[in-house]
């Protein structure tokens, strides 16, 4: 009941949020962040439009930003890592063409295979996962190396730049009932996201004032920023 009361907008409707989670697609910490975001979307009585955006550049490929003891980055050569990232991101984009939920389901499934179960990537594995996720396999095969998928990756990287994302496991939250400003956080913890979505006083306007205070570093909001 508390969730419902806290998330009513002025017109009595349910709040609508758009949440962008920027990830290293081959990082266990980012995989955990995905679970946190999905859990928040289930627990908070609001509507969520979720987008998991892979950051695909040389720095992310070569760096363990989340200090997750990434075994893939220790074991594979630079060339092998680059090829793996390229294949996984292209496959994910192809899956997204068949719907956001199916795309996320495909991404988390292939991450679990590679990061948790220790499988080696192959075309056969990707196609089998696509089948298990309910994708149209023939369409998936056609899209996974298409120019459209490559252009979609480029758009994602433009979004990374425009939203000033500095590292993986960062999220931007927009309240679709509010203004155009968003809240950016690099602390993908349940409590942080819950406060950003449920605390009616935690608005971009409030954060602008708080960010000018020297005491901000000592508060629970130190990981939050306003994104214009």
């Amino acid at each position: 009941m508390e969730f419902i009361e806290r998330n009513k907008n002025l017109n009595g409707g349910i709040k609508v949020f758009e949440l962008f989670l920027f990830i290293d697609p081959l990082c266990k910490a980012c995989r955990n962040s995905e679970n946190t975001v999905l859990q928040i979307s289930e627990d908070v009585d609001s509507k969520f439009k979720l987008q998991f955006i892979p950051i695909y550049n040389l720095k992310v490929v070569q760096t363990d930003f989340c200090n997750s003891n990434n075994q893939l980055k220790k074991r594979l050569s630079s060339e092998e890592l680059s090829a793996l990232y390229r294949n996984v991101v292209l496959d994910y984009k192809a899956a997204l063409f068949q719907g956001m939920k199916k795309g996320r389901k495909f991404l988390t499934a292939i991450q679990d295979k590679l990061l948790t179960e220790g499988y080696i990537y192959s075309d056969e594995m990707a196609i089998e996962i696509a089948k298990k996720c309910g994708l149209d396999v023939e369409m998936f095969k056609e899209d996974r190396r298409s120019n459209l998928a490559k252009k979609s990756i480029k758009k994602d990287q433009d979004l990374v730049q425009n939203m000033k994302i500095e590292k993986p496991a960062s999220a931007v939250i927009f309240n679709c009932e509010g203004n155009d400003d968003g809240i950016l956080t690099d602390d993908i913890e349940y409590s942080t996201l819950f406060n950003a979505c449920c605390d009616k006083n935690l608005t971009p306007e409030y954060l602008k004032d708080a960010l000018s205070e020297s005491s901000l570093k000592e508060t629970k909001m130190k990981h939050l920023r306003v994104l214009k």
Side-chain angles (χ1 to χ4, degrees):
M1 186 66 179
E2 181 183 6
F3 287 174
I4 295 175
E5 292 301 321
R6 294 175 76 179
N7 281 315
K8 294 285 187 179
N9 63 24
L10 294 176
N11 296 319
I14 300 297
K15 283 186 178 180
V16 179
F17 292 99
E18 186 165 19
L19 192 155
F20 298 84
L21 178 64
F22 295 88
I23 60 167
D24 173 344
L26 295 176
C27 166
K28 283 187 177 181
C30 287
R31 176 69 183 88
N32 292 336
S33 295
E34 293 162 18
N35 282 341
T36 300
V37 167
L38 291 170
Q39 190 63 53
I40 284 286
S41 71
E42 291 291 329
D43 291 349
V44 176
D45 189 45
S46 298
K47 293 182 180 180
F48 282 84
K49 180 180 179 182
L50 304 178
Q51 295 196 49
F52 294 169
I53 308 295
I55 306 176
Y56 179 50
N57 58 43
L58 188 60
K59 184 178 288 188
V60 166
V61 170
Q62 295 182 343
T63 307
D64 187 1
F65 273 98
C66 300
N67 298 314
S68 61
N69 191 29
N70 194 309
Q71 294 301 306
L72 287 174
K73 296 187 180 185
K74 291 180 177 181
R75 188 175 73 247
L76 299 180
S77 68
S78 296
E79 293 76 12
E80 289 170 329
L81 266 177
S82 295
L84 178 59
Y85 269 83
R86 181 177 182 276
N87 288 332
V88 168
V89 173
L90 281 169
D91 285 347
Y92 171 46
K93 301 310 293 188
L96 280 174
F97 292 156
Q98 299 188 40
M100 287 286 188
K101 287 186 177 180
K102 286 185 177 180
R104 288 197 299 270
K105 186 176 180 180
F106 175 88
L107 174 66
T108 56
I110 201 165
Q111 286 172 321
D112 290 343
K113 285 289 185 184
L114 296 171
L115 299 173
T116 303
E117 300 175 36
Y119 281 75
I120 296 174
Y121 176 89
S122 67
D123 289 342
E124 292 76 16
M125 183 188 77
I127 291 168
E128 182 62 28
I129 291 173
K131 189 182 302 182
K132 289 182 178 179
C133 291
L135 297 176
D136 181 320
V137 174
E138 292 306 313
M139 185 180 297
F140 175 75
K141 289 180 180 178
E142 184 175 327
D143 288 339
R144 61 198 295 259
R145 300 296 178 265
S146 66
N147 287 331
L148 187 60
K150 294 173 185 175
K151 288 179 181 178
S152 182
I153 292 173
K154 174 64 168 58
K155 287 183 179 179
D156 281 349
Q157 306 323 300
D158 291 342
L159 191 63
V160 171
Q161 294 295 321
N162 292 338
M163 290 195 176
K164 303 177 177 64
I165 304 302
E166 297 180 352
K167 60 182 181 178
S170 297
V172 177
I173 305 167
F174 292 94
N175 181 346
C176 297
E177 303 296 325
N179 59 31
D180 293 335
D181 293 344
I183 294 176
L184 166 65
T185 179
D186 60 3
D187 180 33
I188 312 300
E189 296 291 336
Y190 187 95
S191 59
T192 302
L193 295 180
F194 181 87
N195 287 331
C197 295
C198 291
D199 189 342
K200 63 183 179 182
N201 295 316
L202 187 54
T203 63
E205 291 77 13
Y206 175 79
L207 272 178
K208 287 174 188 175
D209 293 334
L211 285 168
S212 65
E213 299 175 6
S214 60
S215 60
L216 180 65
K217 293 181 180 179
E218 307 302 324
T219 74
K220 66 182 179 181
M221 295 184 295
K222 64 183 179 181
H223 294 287
L224 301 174
R225 296 291 181 268
V226 176
L227 181 72
K228 298 186 71 65

